[in-house]
Amino acid sequence: MKILGFLIPLAAIFFFSCQPSNQTESAESTSTLDAIEEGVKMIPVKTPSGEFQVFTQRVGDNPSIKVLLLHGGPGMTHQQYANFKDYLPQEGIEFIWYDQLGSAHSDQPSDSTLWTIERFVSEVEQVRVALGLNKDNFYLYGQSWGGMLGIEYALAHQENLKGLIISNMMASLDDYEKYAKEVLGPQMPSEVFEELMEIEKNNDFENPRYMELLGEHHYPYHVLRKPADEWPAEINKMMGEVNPEVYVYMQGYSEFGITPGASLAGWDRKSDLQKITVPTLVIAGTHDTMDPAHLEWMSEQLPNGQFLLCPNGSHLSQYDDPEHFFPGLISFLKEVDKK
């Protein structure tokens, strides 16, 4: 099977078009928001490099259940949650799409000093205040990198939370890399996995074979379990809008762990999960890039943790297993609200 169309711009934009820089560059920014839509609020965020605007859009209105969505990446977009509009408003649940600084509809300064966990936590807190969210209504949902950011926010500001959802994110990046290389990789044909690891060993990420092999043997099995030509338009749009400057600086190029030198390398919060006492739902997919057994273990370490397994799901379970994902999420939100 040849690489399908959406992976070609993904390879060009997502991995290859920007080399990470350790130098602070110009703080000039550009917003890609072309028109103000219903519920949109651009929020000013103060940073060490000046003030920038980030995009939010409220959908629904519920005084006691307001879910702020943290997208993955880093550097992806709120389009990751486009289909939430098909499930949550009908249940009377309010949610807020949000592009983090550096992402599509928010300002995109070219300044690598901004791409730190601590700075992103500060941003989420400023967004919370601007939106009037508090412990009586504020649920924080984070998937993948967004789950990591959600954990970090809770450790710093859980007094402001009513509930937390950690979706498809392990509590240790070293454990994630081990799972990817020792469990998922060997599920591929041996010659395919060996070629991928040789490319990574040689730091040859501009080799088109890397994306070609991933597009055939990894993404349709562990990222979104559909043939690539059936992926939702919103996800393809998100892939085309990834900011590689943020993504590569923080995570690197590898799909089997964190590239050495990337700023997130070594992140581990396993021993701190017990400090998060707010009601917390941990969501996993059986076919996820993240180890579902590790995520279940995380739910057991959290004093008020619950676990939701999406048996047909992968890294984007909201799209390939909505039958389990949304009822489980909705049930958690309503259950916490009643208490």
Side-chain angles (χ1 to χ4, degrees):
M1 171 174 145
K2 295 183 180 292
I3 186 167
L4 293 168
F6 88 94
L7 286 174
I8 297 173
L10 176 59
I13 297 171
F14 190 58
F15 288 97
F16 305 144
S17 63
C18 178
Q19 295 294 328
S21 171
N22 293 321
Q23 301 297 319
T24 301
E25 301 168 0
S26 168
E28 294 181 0
S29 59
T30 302
S31 175
T32 60
L33 184 63
D34 297 322
I36 300 299
E37 302 176 40
E38 183 179 356
V40 168
K41 182 176 183 179
M42 299 299 292
I43 295 175
V45 172
K46 295 179 180 179
T47 79
S49 297
E51 185 172 286
F52 302 99
Q53 300 280 323
V54 298
F55 165 91
T56 66
Q57 184 173 10
R58 180 171 63 89
V59 179
D61 185 8
N62 186 320
S64 63
I65 306 180
K66 300 177 184 292
V67 188
L68 180 66
L69 304 176
L70 303 179
H71 61 68
M76 292 191 178
T77 81
H78 73 278
Q79 293 285 346
Q80 179 175 343
Y81 305 119
N83 70 339
F84 276 45
K85 69 182 184 302
D86 299 325
Y87 296 90
L88 299 191
Q90 297 88 326
E91 298 292 333
I93 294 170
E94 175 183 335
F95 68 88
I96 300 135
W97 283 316
Y98 158 38
D99 278 0
Q100 298 153 30
L101 185 64
S103 296
H105 291 92
S106 295
D107 287 345
Q108 299 181 40
S110 183
D111 181 351
S112 61
T113 67
L114 295 170
W115 315 135
T116 69
I117 290 175
E118 294 76 17
R119 213 278 317 152
F120 276 109
V121 169
S122 172
E123 177 184 320
V124 174
E125 174 62 2
Q126 292 180 66
V127 169
R128 177 195 71 82
V129 172
L131 293 175
L133 307 176
N134 57 58
K135 62 182 178 62
D136 297 321
N137 57 31
F138 179 29
Y139 295 81
L140 188 61
Y141 176 104
Q143 189 168 28
S144 195
W145 146 252
M148 182 190 306
L149 182 54
I151 291 171
E152 292 289 339
Y153 180 87
L155 289 170
H157 301 289
Q158 68 176 310
E159 69 277 4
N160 301 322
L161 287 170
K162 187 172 183 177
L164 173 68
I165 301 95
I166 304 168
S167 184
N168 310 87
M169 184 67 228
M170 295 166 67
S172 166
L173 290 180
D174 286 344
D175 288 359
Y176 155 63
E177 181 170 350
K178 182 177 180 181
Y179 182 71
K181 291 181 176 178
E182 296 183 4
V183 178
L184 297 185
Q187 293 177 13
M188 301 177 182
S190 59
E191 66 276 10
V192 170
F193 185 51
E194 289 171 5
E195 185 174 354
L196 285 167
M197 290 299 96
E198 186 67 19
I199 291 173
E200 294 212 351
K201 178 182 176 182
N202 296 329
N203 201 32
D204 185 23
F205 292 101
E206 293 190 16
N207 187 334
R209 282 288 289 169
Y210 190 71
M211 289 301 299
E212 182 179 346
L213 293 172
L214 289 172
E216 182 174 353
H217 299 282
H218 184 67
Y219 293 148
Y221 296 94
H222 302 296
V223 176
L224 203 168
R225 287 175 63 80
K226 294 176 181 287
D229 58 354
E230 295 180 15
W231 280 28
E234 299 90 347
I235 296 301
N236 289 334
K237 186 176 190 300
M238 177 189 73
M239 292 295 191
E241 293 180 340
V242 171
N243 185 338
E245 182 172 337
V246 182
Y247 185 93
V248 173
Y249 183 82
M250 297 188 73
Q251 170 159 314
Y253 297 93
S254 174
E255 284 294 303
F256 293 91
I258 304 300
T259 304
S263 66
L264 292 179
W267 181 83
D268 190 310
R269 285 294 196 175
K270 289 186 294 185
S271 63
D272 296 313
L273 293 174
Q274 60 186 337
K275 300 176 184 176
I276 300 176
T277 58
V278 297
T280 302
L281 176 65
V282 181
I283 304 176
T286 296
H287 308 283
D288 197 356
T289 57
M290 304 287 170
D291 180 6
H294 180 104
L295 272 75
E296 183 173 16
W297 172 86
M298 287 170 58
S299 72
E300 296 166 353
Q301 306 309 301
L302 294 156
N304 287 296
Q306 297 183 35
F307 180 65
L308 171 62
L309 179 66
C310 298
N312 303 316
S314 60
H315 201 55
L316 294 173
S317 295
Q318 64 266 40
Y319 284 99
D320 51 25
D321 195 0
E323 297 83 2
H324 293 93
F325 178 92
F326 284 105
L329 174 60
I330 291 165
S331 176
F332 171 78
L333 294 170
K334 291 186 173 182
E335 176 185 322
V336 174
D337 188 50
K338 288 180 180 179
K339 291 181 179 178

